[in-house]
Every structure is written in C-alpha cells, then in structure tokens.
Amino acid sequence: MTDHHDHRRVDPQQQTGSYKDTQFRGVSVKQLFPEDRPGWRGFVEWEKYPERKRIAHELLKTKKFTSIPEFQDGPLPKTNPILVGHRWKEYHEAVGLREVVDFSWEMVQKEKHDMLHVLDFPYNGETLFNYILDDGKLTQNRHHFIRNHGGVPDIDEDAFELEIAGLVKNPIKLSMKDLKDETKFPQSTVTVTLQCSGTRRREQIDEYPGDGDELINAPWGEGAIGTAVYRGVPLKKVLKKACGGVLPECQHLEFIGADTYFKKLEAYNYAVSVPWRKVRANEEVLLAWEMNGQPLPKIHGAPLRVVVTGYIGARSCKWVYRINALSEPSFGPVQRQEYLYYNQQIGKQNVLVSNGFSIQAMPVSSAIMTPRTKEVVVHDGKVTVRGWAYSGNGNWVERVEISPDGGHVWYACSPEDMTQKVRTAFAYSAIVTIRGVNVPFGFTLKHYHAWRLWKIEVPVDAEGWLEFCCRTWDSSNNTEPTYVRSAWNWDLHVTSSAHRIKIYSINRSKPATAKRLRQLEEMGQSLLPLTQPLEFTIEKFEEYEAAYQKYPREPID
Amino acid sequence: MTDHHDHRRVDPQQQTGSYKDTQFRGVSVKQLFPEDRPGWRGFVEWEKYPERKRIAHELLKTKKFTSIPEFQDGPLPKTNPILVGHRWKEYHEAVGLREVVDFSWEMVQKEKHDMLHVLDFPYNGETLFNYILDDGKLTQNRHHFIRNHGGVPDIDEDAFELEIAGLVKNPIKLSMKDLKDETKFPQSTVTVTLQCSGTRRREQIDEYPGDGDELINAPWGEGAIGTAVYRGVPLKKVLKKACGGVLPECQHLEFIGADTYFKKLEAYNYAVSVPWRKVRANEEVLLAWEMNGQPLPKIHGAPLRVVVTGYIGARSCKWVYRINALSEPSFGPVQRQEYLYYNQQIGKQNVLVSNGFSIQAMPVSSAIMTPRTKEVVVHDGKVTVRGWAYSGNGNWVERVEISPDGGHVWYACSPEDMTQKVRTAFAYSAIVTIRGVNVPFGFTLKHYHAWRLWKIEVPVDAEGWLEFCCRTWDSSNNTEPTYVRSAWNWDLHVTSSAHRIKIYSINRSKPATAKRLRQLEEMGQSLLPLTQPLEFTIEKFEEYEAAYQKYPREPID
C-alpha cells in the first residue's frame, strides 16, 4: 500500500524520446501534461487536475486535425487496418503522448496474431471467423478481440497502485503484491465472454448510416466477441476486506483507466461505472491479472483490469488504477455520453445525451461464422452451418435455430453440437490444459457468462441465392429481433437481430447441376467467380431447337 | 424500290480512315468484312454470309480481349461513364469496325445532352431523374434513354433500303421515299413509352449478383425509360400493301438491324422478333422515322427503326434494314439467348437457354424519382414524392400508391396529380406544339402505351431513417411484387417490385428538432453530411444532470 506520487515530479528521461517536445503559450507540453509516475509510461493523470484538462482543451482548440473519415455511405476499405486513426494519433501527439501511439502498435505486433485490424489507433481488432470456431470455447489471447479507446499505457507491475476512494469506509491504495496476496483476498477464476456493444455493427451501417462521432471508428463485423478464463479477486471482497465496505449511499462503482480518452477536444482518463448490486454479486465483477492462465497482456489491460460479466466490454475497464464508489453512474463521457441506446426516430436532429439509455447488460445474440456471406456453397442437399450464440447478464444460451430460407423454417441445433457448461468436480485451483494453455478450474467456475459455439447440418434443396439466418433463445426466453431494421438505432449499437447471410447454393445432387459441373471440369473451367460468364455455349442449337419444338414459347391462337 | 447491292463491291475510300487495316491469314480484314454498301458506313452484312461469320469467329478466337469487369460484388464506379466498354470496342476493332466506335460517341455528343452514361460503348445512357420529371409526359429526344447493343451505323437516307422477305406473298425492297409516300402507306403517330427490361436492375445487383455476361453491361437505375411520339407507318399496312400480306405459316416478324452484335466471339447483325398477332394489332408495331416531331436521331435508329408498343425496348429494332416473316421466333442470340426470364433457383450451375421464357411485353412497374434514396428531407410533417408508373402490353396505369412506412400504409395519388390520356378531338394529322416541339396528333393517337408521371404529398410524422415505397395497379389489376427478392432472377431482368428508397426525415414541426435546427443556424453549422458529428456539445452538463435527477437511469431496489 503505497503513497500517492507527486504529480509535479517529472522524469526528464521521459522528455528525450524520439518525439520532440513542443510548447503551448511558452510552456513545454510535457510539463503541462506530465507522465509523472515513474514506471507508468504513457499515463497522464487528468481527472484530478481540472486546470490541466482546461489547458489541454485550449491547446486542442488551436489545432487542425485530420477530418473524420466518411465510410458509412460507401463500402468499407478492403485494407487491413480497415481504418487509420489519424485524428486520434494527432490528439495524443498534441498533448505530448505520441509515444503511446507507437507503443500501442508495438503491442499489437507482440501480443496479437493475425487479427482483422478495424482501427489501428486506438487499437480495435476483431478475431477472424476461423479462429472463433477453431479456438473453441476459449479464445486464445493472441486472437481475442480488442476494443481500446486510447493508447496502451506501459505500466510496471511493481510501480503500479490501485486507489479506492469515494463512498467507502476506508479509502485505500493497493499494490499488485497486495492484490495477489491470497491471505488478504480470496482469488477467483471466471469464464467470461466479452463483447463490444458494436459487434455486427456493419449490418446497421449497411442498412442506414448513423452517428459519425469518434465512437463509430469501430465498424465491427461478427468478430468483436471472445471468451477467456480470467483470474483475479472479486471487487466485492476487496471493498469489504480492504475498505471495510461501501457506505449506504453507494450505488455505482466507477473505474478509471490509465489510458487517455478524448471527446470533443477534451482530455479525460477513461472512466465507466457499474451498479453496486452488480458488484455485490460476488464473482460478477473481478479485478483480474491473468487471462487463460497467462499474465494479462498489456494490450488487454495489464497490470490490472476489471472484468464485468454479462455487460458490454466497455465496462471491463483496462489499466484500472482508481475505483470510486459513487452515489450515481460515472459522469465520464464514455458512461454518460456514449454507449447509449436510442429510439429509432432519434438522430442528429434531436439526439440528446439524456434521451438514450445506458447500455450495460448485453441481450441475446448470435452469428453465423460459416458459410461466409456471398459464399458459393457446393453441396449434396445438406449444408453445415457454424457460429456463436451468447446472452448477457447471466442468461444462458438454451437454443440456437437456423433457417435456410430467410426465416420461415427454423431448425434447432442438437445439444451435442453446442459447447457446454462444464460440470466439474475438480478441486479448487486445479489446473487443466486446454490447447497447451494452463487454465485453472475450480468449483467457483461458472459458465453462465460464456457463449456457446454451435454447428448444425441443415437440409437445402433449393439452388441459387438463399438467405440463411440464425437466432437464439436464452434462459429467460429472450430471442432476437427479426430484422436489422427492427432494432436499428442512431449510435448503431447492439446489432442483435437474427443474423442473415446470403449464400449461393449449388446442389450437386440435382442431375442438371451435376451435368454442368462435369462439363466445367471437362473443359477446365470454374464456376467461380460466379459473375464471370461461362466461355462455352451452354446449350447447343439443336438442343434448344428441340426444347422449343417440345414447349413452343408462345401460344398460336 | 432498289436493287440489292453486290456485297463484294468495296469502296476503297472506306479503307483509308484513321485506323489502319489489319490482316488475318494474309487477307485484309476490311476485305473479309466489307462495309460494302455505299452510304452505309459502319455496316457489315453478317446474316447472309455464314462463311464471313465463320471467319470472324476464327479471327476473334485468336485475340485476347480485356476481361469482363467485375462490378456486381462491389459498388458501381461513381464515374460518368460508369463503365467503359473495352471488350466491345476491341471486338469491333478486330473485325475492322473501329470507326463505328468513334462515330457512336460522336453521336452521343451531338444528339444527347447531360445523360448518365452507363456504358460508353455500346452506348447505354439513362435519363437523369430531373429530366424525367421536368420534361413531363414526353421525354425530350436529347434526354431519352438509349440502350444500344452495338455501334451506331451512319446510313444515308437516300442510300437506305428496307428488305422484306420470308413468309410473305411478295418479297420486296423499299426505299425511305417509298415508305414516306402517303399515297402508298397511311402514316400514324403513336405515343409510346419504351423501357429497357433492365430498368432498376441495380436493385437486383444490390441484393445478389447475377449473370455477368455482356448483357449485364447495363446496370440501370430508374432512368432507362422514356416516352415519345413516333411517326411512321404501321408494319401491318406495309406487309399488306407492299407484300400482299403474310403467308398462313407466318407467326413472327423478325427485325434485323444494321448494327453488329457480338456474342461468345461470334458476329451477328442485331436480330429480334415479335409475334404476328402483335403486328396485326395495327399501330402497335410501327416503322418510324420521326420522334417527337423531329427526324429520328441517328443514335435512335435513323433512318428507320421499329417501335413496338408495350414490349421491352429490345424489340424496337433500330436501323432496321430487313424484316423476315418467320414461322417461329428469330434465332438471333438477342431473341433466343438473351432477355430471358429465369426462375429464381436457376443460375450459373443449371441455366439453359431453354429454361428461361422470352421477355416480350412489360409488366406494371413504377419508381420514385424524388426524393432520392439516402436523401435528408427537412419538412413540416408532409413530404412530396414524385415518380413514374407504367404498364406494358396496352395496360393503362390506373392507380399509384405510396407508402411512407415501408409498406404498411398506402396513400393513392389523386387523378389530378397523374398525367392523363388526351381525349383529343383534333383532326387527323393536326399539329400541336409541346414545349416548342411540333407534335402531330390525330384520332388514331392512343396513350394506352404511355407511362403516367405522378406526384403526391404524404403525411410524415416520424423522424430518422424511413423506407418509402411505391406500387402501381394497372387496368388489368396487376400490381408489383413486394420486394426485390420476390422477383430476383439470374439475368437480373424486369425489376418490377415495389420501388423502395431510404430517406432521412427531419420534421421541423417537432419542437426539439426546431430547436436543434435553430442552434445549428446560430452556430453556422450544418446537419449535412449526416454522418459528420456535431462540433458542439449537444447537451450541457447541467441539462443532462437535471434530466438524470428527473429520470434516474437505474432502479435503486
């Protein structure tokens, strides 16, 4: 339990990086916005210094930034990264935090593997569909999606401290050594699916464009979801054992992250909150330092992050260094001005912060991962479909249904073809190995907070373009809206409608199709790409003449 | 009534143009495929010379051509021309017809004005939506859409002759002077809407890509339709008076155009046919030389074209120089292998010429021309919608309905707001002036073959993204399929489903919206582009704090 550092103490080494210090009104920017905690590289304390925030706003107002890209009215670039965060990089550079931009990308290279980079900075990357399926119930750390709102701070675990303040009996500071001391706090492992509330947002963008604020710089597909086993201490236990509990007025616990967040040219530390009743539910809010049996990667929030089960990923604050017990939700912009769910008729002409409700727990949703949309599927009358299904807030996925005809007929997956909760009798803290990763399992392990991967083989007679869709029913009997339009909203959050894909069906059990496929093979030609015409004449003159004689095109009388 | 020219007589002047003659197997290409009729520039006779066609095929097989562009899986280029007909230009050049490519584009410059060029060669251009509405019931010649299948031949009227052959009592050749001689043939004027069967094809492409054969080089929007008054002679009268009538076996009349058409590396003259029963219906099939009181433009088929009422535009053969009376439909590829309507489950894996039916008469269809899709519409509770409606085969548009809510509520246009048929008492051959154009009207004038333009003001309370759609009921009580999917077909023809557009509604009769609009005006900011975020904070801290106190975000117990 360490002392609070003097924020004015600036390590001069930090000013001699590869980026030149600049001046604002005659003062060094690095002096104005110091990275003043030794061992906390890329961290500036904003929330305790209103004057520092005011100066940053004044400074940012004097700058020109790259304009916000328009990508909603056309197709997304086919590049990887899809989008480049010029504006965000410039914000960071303007306040002397350019190093954090580079460090963040270094961490992508080091800690992640083969991601779809949706935005290079702040880093947002989604898991490729094949890893979602192949990794199985637990997503490998290097494949797990990331949705960051700022740079990745580089904090030495030994120098780290967590401060707990606000409506608690005893405000306190804790080192990582304190937190990891099992004699002080009992540890837990929880299997948790985390999901960005923007998952599958592209479907909403395709339907109608929405809010173009910085928020939207994450045009996610179906891969902004992943599941891992986290180890840490339940926040409830820390509040009780280290702080003597919360005061009766406490309603929300606010988490402040060491990353810098910009909103309308103001600088903040990332801040969000969850209700006390959620924290009170024991393992549902964890302070975690381990992910799938490995030290938490820096890009995922090391040395310490919050993991909130069943809620949008945004509440699982990374690099959490301060927790405030509050009488109401955090006033941070991420909590109050973003992740809001608006009525469909609210838009740019009438949107207010107060007419959206705050997205906390996630609804039931699912996605087809294979086949891919617009895929040409050659089959013999049956097509295998695979994907994920999830419901938040402790609701368990009970049933997944697939329709091969756009939503008329629905086939249910067999329980054997859905990943299961594990009814384990392992002793507390037993270690099991999952795909080479040592994962601790114990009797406190719950899987109510995890997705289920599923597969099913559906009968498909028809050929040509078909619409496949899936929907899920959870343990509260919730299911998904029918169409994207049903739940389209201005901020393009929570695309939980039945997931629809287009497939081009080629049923080779049909004689005419089998004949054409043989003909193609003999001629060394391909059906792909589908829109490229066949080079040969598909029907000889004599053949269509004979067909015409049999079925003349027009009546005579 | 002139003699048939000797096809071997080649004018050497024609070989000294700006393009060098080439050789194939030691013979000059201009000799192999001669433009052998004086005064018929850009014309090669293919249909009478199977050997010439065979050689052309051999020659084309030795060449490499620019590959067919892929434009169905992504967005259409935003260029004008949208697509460039490299492959078609190369075909023409290969057989010595490069001059016709240039001449065609010259005619675009000379005879057309401000078109959306869908393909530069063969020239396909659509009428911009504003001209469709502003020109009114009759589209100006310079704005009228064009769907050409080959180059524009440049034929001197004095040198022209029309040959009528096949199952007629007396085969004959007619000069333009013969045809225009009112003592020989009574003349007619008919007001006709012509439409490409590909109109609104983009909606089908957006839904699912289809056949990528040359055919698809016309990714039309809503502007491949137009209406004009044509003057000429009914084909029925010519067959009767000049040929002594058709023989009893005659079922179809084939029209051969002077343009060259390529299909799977074979060269043809453009050839299509319509049933004898259609021709027999008097003014329904016209041989025309005048369009809206002006000489027929070259790009529209001068000196002579066919105008077939109520049928797809493809049957209204331009530069028609031979008519064959046949016992069955033309075997030309345009008639037999294209403009076929397939079942939705027919595609590349099983398509045959004989499993599509031939598209002749057009069904009822309509389109909203304003607002434009994705338009932001600021209004006071009512939105004006305008467009066209048409039905083929002599069916008259009886009712147009607009839904401002995606197809739940339908408002009907008032008859006052729809263009009318003209109940004229004018004497035969009277001339009336329409927008400075002298148009002949007479008692034979029928408007059963014309579209109706319409407008309506619909109540719109809701704000945000709305789907507007229109549908039409014709005099046979036909109406339009509900969704594009309902009638999607492999060749992407006849997009006649209810036309749907997305509009973003801003209802300034709503107090919150009016306030935001005033705020924007005061701050010199715009709502457009819609996806660009507002620069100011939309709700002050005190305001959302007050709103929070009034309606706390979460229950306490």
Side-chain angles (χ1 to χ4, degrees), chain B residues 64-137:
Chain B
K64 282 278 177 205
F65 299 103
T66 301
S67 56
I68 292 166
E70 173 47 66
F71 58 90
Q72 293 194 68
D73 261 334
L76 283 178
K78 289 191 186 298
T79 48
N80 192 20
I82 298 174
L83 299 172
V84 175
H86 297 295
R87 196 177 180 87
W88 288 85
K89 291 175 189 176
E90 292 157 6
Y91 291 153
H92 281 76
E93 187 160 7
V95 300
L97 281 168
R98 175 68 210 205
E99 285 91 343
V100 85
V101 175
D102 297 338
F103 183 73
S104 298
W105 190 246
E106 273 170 42
M107 289 304 100
V108 175
Q109 306 305 312
K110 186 180 167 197
E111 298 183 332
K112 308 307 286 183
H113 170 73
D114 202 11
M115 303 287 286
L116 176 61
H117 309 308
V118 174
L119 181 70
D120 70 335
F121 185 81
Y123 183 68
N124 293 317
E126 68 176 90
T127 313
L128 295 176
F129 73 93
N130 52 310
Y131 295 124
I132 286 190
L133 296 174
D134 296 349
D135 282 1
K137 181 165 174 169

Side-chain angles (χ1 to χ4, degrees), chain B residues 444-510:
Chain B
T444 61
L445 187 69
K446 289 197 182 83
H447 294 255
Y448 291 101
H449 306 303
W451 64 8
R452 298 180 79 174
L453 302 177
W454 51 264
K455 71 173 177 189
I456 187 171
E457 194 181 63
V458 288
V460 177
D461 177 81
E463 298 194 281
W465 285 111
L466 304 178
E467 192 168 284
F468 277 32
C469 49
C470 70
R471 69 178 178 193
T472 297
W473 299 85
D474 76 9
S475 53
S476 296
N477 247 62
N478 292 301
T479 195
E480 305 178 51
T482 308
Y483 300 104
V484 172
R485 167 87 206 185
S486 319
W488 186 94
N489 63 101
W490 174 243
D491 265 0
L492 311 178
H493 279 296
V494 191
T495 315
S496 63
S497 51
H499 184 224
R500 289 166 190 272
I501 63 163
K502 296 167 176 181
I503 73 144
Y504 188 87
S505 159
I506 296 182
N507 185 346
R508 87 191 130 202
S509 75
K510 304 253 178 193

Side-chain angles (χ1 to χ4, degrees), chain A residues 234-271:
Chain A
L235 175 56
K236 181 188 178 184
K237 302 283 188 198
V238 177
L239 290 171
K240 191 173 168 191
K241 289 175 180 279
C243 305
V246 298
L247 300 180
E249 311 92 277
C250 171
Q251 287 293 338
H252 258 244
L253 278 302
E254 180 185 50
F255 310 126
I256 302 191
D259 44 338
T260 293
Y261 183 68
F262 294 94
K263 173 88 176 171
K264 305 236 184 236
L265 306 184
E266 309 258 11
Y268 301 85
N269 295 110
Y270 185 84

